[in-house]
């Protein structure tokens, strides 16, 4: 029998879900009004605001007059706020986004009196392996969570260890974050009910007090709660009201023997709802774009701009973090809610893009307007291929790209644009209508270089960069009016543009650096400064000396790597029915799998030498939907062409693959298969500062079937197959470990279904979500395949995934044409094997001034040696909240030793 119990009044606040944000916020304001009134009326009352500052920020935006009331309760220790900005889905955003979430939440809580130093993670659908290290490196020693804990934990706490060895004591909310509510159902029977609950769970508590989480979704506790508990407290069992922080740090012993290492994705004690990894593909893709854009914006702003655009970057990050909420990016909300999440992510990308483009405009002002500036966001030098629009070469000449040092590279001509944009005949009285198309100097999206006005004819010559002098629209209007009066009748009006072409140019760019080039016509062959083995193509093969692709008769690909590792049947598409919901996949009882195309065509698009491309089009007959009882796929099918663009670039050891189709079918799941040379029993995927290894099964035991579908962010690896990813994805080892399957689309029609064959209880109300079917949407996925007999490390997957996901940035120069190209410039360089650089940004310290913060993670189970170089003289190691730990000189560079899977942050000045 327990001697005491601690009740923690709280609520769990889903910012948006089955109702949109503003509807839930209306409830939030009323709920927090009640909390403040209850706390001020009763000194014994405590309240924990769900571990996320978003609820507090959203409240104070509507109730700014209550800020001082909130601060007073926080400082008294009776209102626990933070440390997160929002309760996120940890697998559907980057590790850097998790760090920024904690940083922004902590700062917001400190501004209101102080953050709760508990890593509270009550309702996430599983937890990433590196969360203990993220918390520990922010100075947080405790966590509290529910879902994903394995069956080996039989107490109410365990020691959670990250891959690097960092440990946080973790409170296991084994009966959920609302376990105290059943005890409170009959207020005058609380003592009896608590006694029964304590007896049933006695083995879990040991000698510690019972923790009763007194709260649930979207509701404030009853204002009479404290009075009820005072009445129930007595000699048999003392009852205390506390915040979660007070319970964990003041009421329990520190001796915890159970240890769990790595990610928490067990189904044994609660549903982890893994289907959220693959539903509403567009949200996952928009999240990746927003994260990538703000990352690039921070890097170029820190290194190449005199302007501090931190307010815009903070806005972008805030909108991204809001969107990571565990009912937002996962796509488990209504169509209305998901539309708002998509719009918020678009806003984040737009704000970041504005900062990025403004930062690049500064060095572009030194580059002639007939040339291009290239910026490399990665902290390692690279040779990249960029597409640019250039003047087409005259007949008998070729194009060559010249760098600032005079070196040359050959150019691959991709396409040529038409030179006649319009050819019209009209009466002289209508000429004024043509002039209305001109906006100052712009016409057809280009600029008027010059015009020719003769009797009965007006010809405009357009250019991207005019070579003639000033243009005066008023003079043109006067001249045209006079000519029309002098020559009535029919006129010919032509709009011509200089012959333009799209060219593919190989560019050497320094680490986090800048370079520029000019493309010109020449009648002599270029002597390439960096010879690359050419990319070649035939009607059904692509090759570049590092990777070879051959198209099989069924439209799949045979991909062979430089070490001879061969993957056959890559890109086999398997489509099956899905009678599940946004939370869990479920096959219909009588499923029909479609894996063979009805028709296959192969088209050669480009044959090198810098890039070779094929387009494989496969037509499949997919059932249009499920039957009315949802147990059978329809007999009616719709022919669906799936285009697969296959690309090999000179110098790249992987094959790029882009699939695209118009989705005309409902209730189905489509997966991209990569058959393996031999069966395997493990896979590994990269994400959130770690590469996590998994087996063929998942641990079950609760009311949810443990499907072995797992998350991957930047790549997934199994045997000789390494697949680089554009966005967070779901994968599974299928066919007894003989193939890797990556989900391309999961189309469903309900948030939750009450009767689910793979889940005992509903995950939410059965609310229709027709938008989650993605009907009429063009579905596109980007992959890259790296065959490697020595797995992801031998295949250099960490570095290659960064190159695949992070294109160089290209913009046209704005200085006068034909000028001299500026010299190349280097930024921050980081050398080290399997080291991920997750962030480079400008930071400002009141004491030390402005610096450049660099965050690195060792993506390996062995010690990593890292060298950081750049125009800096000192480095300060800081924790994840930016607090200084040590300082060292780096006049000749900074040498670091990172332990296995260690995250390290330094500020360079």
């Amino acid at each position: 029998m327990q001697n005491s119990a601690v009740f923690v009044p709280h609520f769990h606040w889903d910012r948006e879900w089955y109702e949109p944000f503003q509807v839930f916020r209306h409830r939030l304001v009323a709920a927090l009004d009640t909390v403040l009134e209850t706390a001020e009326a009763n000194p014994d009352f405590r309240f924990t605001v769900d571990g996320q500052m978003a609820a507090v920020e959203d409240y104070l935006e509507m109730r700014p007059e209550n800020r001082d009331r909130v601060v007073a309760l926080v400082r008294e220790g009776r209102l626990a706020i933070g440390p997160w900005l929002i309760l996120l889905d940890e697998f559907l955003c980057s590790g850097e986004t998790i760090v920024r979430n904690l940083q922004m939440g902590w700062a917001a809580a400190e501004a209101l009196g102080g953050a709760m130093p508990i890593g509270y993670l009550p309702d996430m659908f599983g937890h990433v392996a590196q969360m203990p290290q993220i918390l520990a490196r922010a100075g947080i020693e405790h966590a509290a969570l529910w879902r994903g804990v394995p069956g080996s934990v039989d107490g109410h706490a365990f020691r959670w260890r990250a891959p690097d060895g960092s440990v946080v004591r973790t409170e296991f909310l084994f009966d959920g974050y609302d376990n105290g509510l059943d005890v409170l159902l009959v207020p005058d029977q609380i003592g009896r009910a608590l006694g029964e609950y304590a007896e049933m769970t006695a083995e879990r508590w040991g000698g510690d007090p019972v923790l009763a989480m007194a709260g649930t979704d979207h509701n404030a506790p009853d204002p009479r709660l404290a009075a009820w508990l005072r009445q129930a407290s007595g000699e048999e069992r003392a009852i205390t009201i506390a915040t979660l922080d007070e319970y964990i740090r003041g009421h329990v012993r520190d001796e915890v023997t159970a240890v769990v290492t790595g990610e928490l994705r067990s189904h044994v004690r609660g549903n982890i709802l893994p289907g959220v990894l693959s539903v509403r593909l567009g949200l996952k893709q928009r999240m990746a774009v927003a994260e990538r854009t703000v990352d690039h914006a921070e890097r170029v702003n820190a290194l190449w701009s005199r302007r501090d655009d931190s307010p815009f970057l903070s806005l972008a990050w805030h909108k991204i973090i809001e969107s990571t909420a565990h009912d937002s990016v996962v796509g488990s909300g209504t169509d209305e809610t998901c539309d708002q999440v998509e719009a918020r992510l678009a806003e984040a990308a737009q704000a970041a893009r504005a900062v990025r483009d403004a930062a690049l405009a500064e060095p572009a002002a030194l580059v002639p307007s007939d040339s291009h500036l290239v910026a490399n966001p990665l902290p390692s030098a690279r040779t990249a291929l960029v597409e640019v629009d250039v003047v087409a070469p005259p007949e008998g000449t070729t194009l060559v790209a010249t760098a600032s040092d005079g070196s040359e590279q050959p150019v691959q001509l991709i396409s040529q644009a038409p030179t006649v944009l319009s050819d019209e005949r009209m009466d002289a009285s209508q000429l004024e209508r043509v002039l209305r198309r001109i906006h100052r100097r712009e016409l057809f999206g280009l600029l008027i270089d010059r015009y020719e006005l003769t009797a009965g004819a007006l010809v405009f010559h357009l250019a991207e960069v005019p070579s003639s002098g000033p243009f005066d629209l008023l003079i043109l209007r006067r001249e045209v009016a006079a000519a029309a009066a002098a020559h009535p009748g029919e006129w010919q009006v032509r709009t011509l543009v200089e012959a333009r072409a799209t060219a593919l140019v190989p560019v050497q760019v320094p680490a986090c650096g800048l370079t520029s080039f000019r493309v010109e016509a020449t009648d002599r062959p270029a002597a390439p400064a960096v010879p690359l083995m050419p990319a070649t193509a035939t009607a059904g093969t692509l090759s570049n000396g590092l990777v070879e692709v051959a198209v099989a008769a069924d439209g799949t690909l045979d991909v062979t790597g430089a070490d001879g590792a061969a993957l056959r049947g890559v890109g086999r598409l398997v489509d099956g029915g899905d009678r599940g919901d946004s939370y869990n996949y479920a096959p219909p009882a009588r499923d029909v799998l479609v894996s063979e195309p009805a028709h296959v065509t192969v088209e050669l698009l480009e044959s090198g030498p810098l890039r070779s491309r094929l387009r494989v089009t496969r037509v499949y007959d997919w059932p249009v939907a499920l039957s009315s009882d949802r147990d059978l796929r329809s007999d009616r099918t719709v022919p669906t062409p799936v285009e697969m663009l296959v690309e090999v670039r000179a110098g790249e050891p992987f094959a790029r693959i882009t699939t695209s189709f118009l989705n005309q079918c409902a209730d189905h799941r489509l997966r991209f298969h990569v058959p393996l040379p031999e069966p395997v029993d493990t896979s590994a995927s990269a994400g959130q500062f770690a590469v996590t290894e998994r087996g063929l099964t998942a641990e079950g035991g609760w009311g949810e079937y443990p499907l072995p579908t797992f998350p991957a962010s930047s790549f997934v690896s199994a045997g000789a197959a390494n697949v680089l990813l554009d966005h967070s994805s779901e994968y599974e080892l299928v066919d007894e470990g003989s193939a890797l399957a990556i989900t391309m689309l999961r189309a469903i029609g309900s948030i939750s279904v009450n009767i689910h064959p793979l889940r005992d209880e509903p995950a939410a109300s059965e609310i229709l979500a027709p938008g989650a079917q993605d009907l009429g949407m063009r579905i596109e996925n980007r992959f890259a395949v790296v065959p490697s007999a020595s797995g992801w490390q031998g295949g250099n997957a960490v570095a290659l995934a960064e190159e695949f996901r992070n294109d160089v940035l290209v913009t046209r120069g704005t200085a006068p044409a034909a000028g001299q190209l500026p010299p190349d410039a280097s930024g921050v360089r980081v050398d080290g094997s399997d080291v991920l650089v997750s962030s480079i940004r400008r930071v400002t310290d009141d004491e030390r001034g402005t610096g450049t913060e660099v965050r690195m993670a060792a993506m390996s189970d062995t010690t990593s040696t890292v060298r950081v170089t750049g125009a800096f003289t000192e480095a300060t190691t800081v924790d994840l909240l930016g607090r200084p730990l040590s300082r060292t000189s780096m006049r000749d560079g900074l040498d670091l030793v990172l332990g296995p899977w260690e995250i390290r942050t330094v500020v360079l000045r």
Side-chain angles (χ1 to χ4, degrees), residues 105 124 147 194 234 270 280 294 313 407 413 427 463 474 485 528 532 542 688 762 784 878:
M124 287 74 164
R147 303 183 195 265
L194 179 58
R280 295 196 191 259
V294 73
L313 295 168
S407 62
L413 196 62
D427 188 80
L474 294 178
L532 296 171
L542 305 174
Q688 299 83 33
V878 300

Short mmCIF file of all heavy atoms in Angstrom, two decimals, residues 105 124 147 194 234 270 280 294 313 407 413 427 463 474 485 528 532 542 688 762 784 878:
data_model
loop_
_atom_site.label_atom_id
_atom_site.label_comp_id
_atom_site.label_asym_id
_atom_site.label_seq_id
_atom_site.Cartn_x
_atom_site.Cartn_y
_atom_site.Cartn_z
N GLY A 105 11.45 27.55 -27.12
CA GLY A 105 10.56 27.34 -25.99
C GLY A 105 11.20 27.76 -24.68
O GLY A 105 10.57 28.41 -23.84
N MET A 124 3.78 12.12 -27.98
CA MET A 124 4.42 11.90 -29.27
C MET A 124 4.29 10.42 -29.65
O MET A 124 4.22 9.54 -28.82
CB MET A 124 5.90 12.26 -29.21
CG MET A 124 6.15 13.75 -29.15
SD MET A 124 5.77 14.46 -27.55
CE MET A 124 6.63 16.01 -27.70
N ARG A 147 4.31 7.05 -24.83
CA ARG A 147 4.30 6.07 -25.91
C ARG A 147 5.72 5.58 -26.25
O ARG A 147 6.68 6.33 -26.15
CB ARG A 147 3.68 6.67 -27.17
CG ARG A 147 2.26 7.20 -27.00
CD ARG A 147 1.74 7.70 -28.34
NE ARG A 147 0.55 8.52 -28.23
CZ ARG A 147 -0.70 8.07 -28.35
NH1 ARG A 147 -0.90 6.79 -28.56
NH2 ARG A 147 -1.72 8.90 -28.26
N LEU A 194 -8.46 5.91 -5.35
CA LEU A 194 -7.00 6.03 -5.36
C LEU A 194 -6.36 4.81 -4.72
O LEU A 194 -5.34 4.30 -5.22
CB LEU A 194 -6.58 7.30 -4.62
CG LEU A 194 -5.08 7.57 -4.52
CD1 LEU A 194 -4.44 7.66 -5.89
CD2 LEU A 194 -4.82 8.85 -3.72
N GLY A 234 -5.65 11.95 3.93
CA GLY A 234 -5.80 11.62 5.34
C GLY A 234 -4.68 10.73 5.83
O GLY A 234 -3.61 10.63 5.20
N GLY A 270 1.38 1.14 -25.49
CA GLY A 270 0.51 2.17 -26.05
C GLY A 270 0.68 2.26 -27.55
O GLY A 270 1.70 1.86 -28.11
N ARG A 280 -0.68 11.94 -46.14
CA ARG A 280 -0.56 13.34 -46.58
C ARG A 280 0.90 13.69 -46.93
O ARG A 280 1.57 14.48 -46.28
CB ARG A 280 -1.11 14.29 -45.52
CG ARG A 280 -2.62 14.12 -45.31
CD ARG A 280 -3.19 15.30 -44.57
NE ARG A 280 -4.56 15.10 -44.12
CZ ARG A 280 -5.66 15.59 -44.71
NH1 ARG A 280 -5.53 16.30 -45.81
NH2 ARG A 280 -6.85 15.38 -44.21
N VAL A 294 15.25 27.52 -44.84
CA VAL A 294 15.70 28.37 -43.72
C VAL A 294 17.14 28.03 -43.36
O VAL A 294 17.92 28.93 -42.97
CB VAL A 294 14.75 28.23 -42.51
CG1 VAL A 294 14.93 26.90 -41.80
CG2 VAL A 294 14.97 29.38 -41.53
N LEU A 313 14.27 35.23 -39.97
CA LEU A 313 14.65 33.84 -39.76
C LEU A 313 13.93 33.26 -38.55
O LEU A 313 13.49 32.10 -38.57
CB LEU A 313 16.16 33.73 -39.59
CG LEU A 313 16.96 34.11 -40.85
CD1 LEU A 313 18.44 34.26 -40.52
CD2 LEU A 313 16.77 33.08 -41.95
N SER A 407 40.08 29.39 -65.78
CA SER A 407 39.91 27.98 -66.16
C SER A 407 38.59 27.78 -66.88
O SER A 407 37.64 28.55 -66.70
CB SER A 407 39.98 27.09 -64.92
OG SER A 407 38.95 27.41 -64.01
N LEU A 413 24.57 21.57 -73.72
CA LEU A 413 23.39 22.31 -74.16
C LEU A 413 22.16 21.43 -73.96
O LEU A 413 22.09 20.30 -74.47
CB LEU A 413 23.54 22.70 -75.63
CG LEU A 413 22.60 23.78 -76.16
CD1 LEU A 413 22.83 25.10 -75.43
CD2 LEU A 413 22.82 23.96 -77.66
N ASP A 427 -4.83 46.63 -86.93
CA ASP A 427 -5.03 47.97 -87.47
C ASP A 427 -4.20 48.98 -86.69
O ASP A 427 -3.93 48.79 -85.49
CB ASP A 427 -6.51 48.34 -87.40
CG ASP A 427 -6.79 49.64 -88.13
OD1 ASP A 427 -6.91 49.61 -89.37
OD2 ASP A 427 -6.89 50.68 -87.45
N ALA A 463 15.73 41.15 -74.43
CA ALA A 463 16.92 40.48 -73.88
C ALA A 463 16.74 40.36 -72.37
O ALA A 463 16.01 41.14 -71.74
CB ALA A 463 18.20 41.25 -74.19
N LEU A 474 7.79 56.80 -72.77
CA LEU A 474 7.03 57.96 -73.24
C LEU A 474 7.42 58.34 -74.67
O LEU A 474 6.57 58.71 -75.50
CB LEU A 474 7.24 59.13 -72.29
CG LEU A 474 6.66 58.95 -70.87
CD1 LEU A 474 6.99 60.16 -70.01
CD2 LEU A 474 5.16 58.70 -70.93
N ALA A 485 -0.61 57.54 -87.15
CA ALA A 485 -1.36 58.59 -87.84
C ALA A 485 -0.89 58.75 -89.27
O ALA A 485 -1.68 59.00 -90.19
CB ALA A 485 -1.24 59.89 -87.06
N PRO A 528 38.97 21.15 -70.03
CA PRO A 528 38.34 21.21 -68.70
C PRO A 528 39.36 21.28 -67.58
O PRO A 528 40.36 20.54 -67.58
CB PRO A 528 37.51 19.92 -68.63
CG PRO A 528 38.12 19.00 -69.64
CD PRO A 528 38.65 19.89 -70.73
N LEU A 532 35.95 15.27 -65.74
CA LEU A 532 35.01 14.32 -65.16
C LEU A 532 34.75 13.23 -66.17
O LEU A 532 34.63 13.48 -67.37
CB LEU A 532 33.69 15.03 -64.82
CG LEU A 532 33.74 16.13 -63.76
CD1 LEU A 532 32.39 16.86 -63.71
CD2 LEU A 532 34.08 15.55 -62.41
N LEU A 542 22.35 4.02 -68.77
CA LEU A 542 23.05 5.24 -68.37
C LEU A 542 24.30 4.82 -67.62
O LEU A 542 24.30 3.83 -66.89
CB LEU A 542 22.17 6.09 -67.45
CG LEU A 542 20.78 6.50 -67.92
CD1 LEU A 542 20.03 7.21 -66.80
CD2 LEU A 542 20.87 7.40 -69.15
N GLN A 688 17.63 12.82 -37.38
CA GLN A 688 17.71 13.40 -36.04
C GLN A 688 19.04 13.05 -35.33
O GLN A 688 19.06 12.52 -34.22
CB GLN A 688 16.52 12.98 -35.17
CG GLN A 688 15.17 13.41 -35.71
CD GLN A 688 14.65 12.45 -36.77
OE1 GLN A 688 14.89 11.26 -36.73
NE2 GLN A 688 13.93 13.00 -37.74
N PRO A 762 -10.26 3.25 -31.32
CA PRO A 762 -10.13 4.40 -32.22
C PRO A 762 -9.01 5.33 -31.76
O PRO A 762 -8.74 5.46 -30.56
CB PRO A 762 -11.49 5.09 -32.12
CG PRO A 762 -12.42 4.05 -31.58
CD PRO A 762 -11.59 3.18 -30.70
N ALA A 784 17.55 8.76 -54.65
CA ALA A 784 18.81 8.45 -55.31
C ALA A 784 19.27 7.11 -54.76
O ALA A 784 19.14 6.84 -53.56
CB ALA A 784 19.87 9.53 -55.07
N VAL A 878 29.69 25.71 -26.90
CA VAL A 878 28.50 26.08 -26.15
C VAL A 878 27.58 24.87 -26.04
O VAL A 878 27.71 23.89 -26.78
CB VAL A 878 27.74 27.25 -26.84
CG1 VAL A 878 28.62 28.48 -26.93
CG2 VAL A 878 27.26 26.85 -28.23
#
